[in-house]
Amino acid sequence: MTLWFDGPLAAFDTETTGVDVEHDRIVSAAVVVQDAVGGRVRTTRWLVNPGVPVPAGATAVHGLTEDHLQRNGRWPSPVVEEIARTLAAQCAVGRPLVVMNAPFDLTLLDRELKRHRASSLDRYLDGAPLCVLDPRVLDRQLDRYRKGRRTLADLCALYEVELDGAHDAAADAFAALEVVRAVGRRFAARLERLSPTELHTLQGGWHAAQARGLQAWFTRNGTPETVDPAWPLRPELPAAAA
């Protein structure tokens, strides 16, 4: 029997104008699909002209300049719909969706759908169950006492996954997919009896506990940062707070 971490997976990643899910924009995105370990990878890419300035700090991360996006990117409205439909199609066939730091990418997509399509990710899913595997949440839960950072690059180094072209949406998505497979193999004794659907539910509780711990650490150290416990999608802010 094929274990879930050796079977079909899809992965989603974005590059953006910044880190504020309520106000920043998608400038590139990718979905990669692989049906088995070592199998052919099918990749869909999008390049977006966000219609807003692209900060130099964001360009320094992903290399996409405002001029390049204006010349080569598509308008956001049709792109975010295509992305949402692509993710919905993966969910409809029951393929787990790997998203590193899911509350960022999925919430940002949801807000872009609201902004450009007067819609939401949930509407595009149309009842298809969202089944997300977040390598950061999984690693933090399964190896919780390990010190050090847990960025995608850190996880790739730890799990011996090649990350070729970091901060390219397609490269990051595939690396996250490979990290999830590696996490599954390393912790097979604890994971092989769980289905991806069961893991999706568990990760919601794990992420909330992780957020509470991080929030407590920030409070002790006088850091005014707020950690959102919602996973894999943050609730929409009231209009007055947006």
Side-chain angles (χ1 to χ4, degrees), residues 7-23:
L9 294 174
F12 171 58
D13 188 70
T14 65
E15 298 299 329
T16 66
T17 60
V19 297
D20 184 339
V21 296
E22 302 297 339
H23 299 102

Side-chain angles (χ1 to χ4, degrees), residues 55-80:
T59 296
V61 172
H62 50 59
L64 298 171
T65 65
E66 188 171 333
D67 179 68
H68 178 76
L69 294 168
Q70 288 176 349
R71 291 173 181 272
N72 300 285
R74 297 168 57 201
W75 287 113
S77 179
V79 170
V80 295

Side-chain angles (χ1 to χ4, degrees), residues 12-29 48 50 52 62 76 80 83-84 87 99-117 119-121 232-236:
F12 171 58
D13 188 70
T14 65
E15 298 299 329
T16 66
T17 60
V19 297
D20 184 339
V21 296
E22 302 297 339
H23 299 102
D24 278 306
R25 312 296 177 90
I26 294 171
V27 296
S28 70
V48 187
V52 300
H62 50 59
V80 295
I83 296 171
L87 297 185
V99 191
M100 174 73 182
N101 190 17
F104 178 80
D105 293 85
L106 295 181
T107 304
L108 188 61
L109 174 61
D110 181 77
R111 303 312 191 254
E112 288 277 59
L113 290 165
K114 175 186 175 183
R115 183 177 294 120
H116 297 292
R117 307 295 303 187
S119 189
S120 67
L121 181 57
L233 186 68
R234 297 176 188 171
E236 188 173 333

Side-chain angles (χ1 to χ4, degrees), residues 98-168:
V98 175
V99 191
M100 174 73 182
N101 190 17
F104 178 80
D105 293 85
L106 295 181
T107 304
L108 188 61
L109 174 61
D110 181 77
R111 303 312 191 254
E112 288 277 59
L113 290 165
K114 175 186 175 183
R115 183 177 294 120
H116 297 292
R117 307 295 303 187
S119 189
S120 67
L121 181 57
D122 186 61
R123 290 181 189 173
Y124 278 91
L125 294 174
D126 193 28
L130 186 62
C131 180
V132 176
L133 299 172
D134 188 331
R136 188 164 77 166
V137 174
L138 291 171
D139 175 71
R140 278 180 170 169
Q141 176 66 25
L142 296 165
D143 197 1
R144 67 177 70 182
Y145 300 114
R146 188 182 78 250
K147 296 184 182 299
R149 303 189 313 163
R150 298 178 194 250
T151 67
L152 179 60
D154 296 319
L155 296 185
C156 285
L158 176 69
Y159 290 99
E160 300 181 343
V161 169
E162 182 178 359
L163 177 55
D164 184 13
H167 299 297
D168 168 83

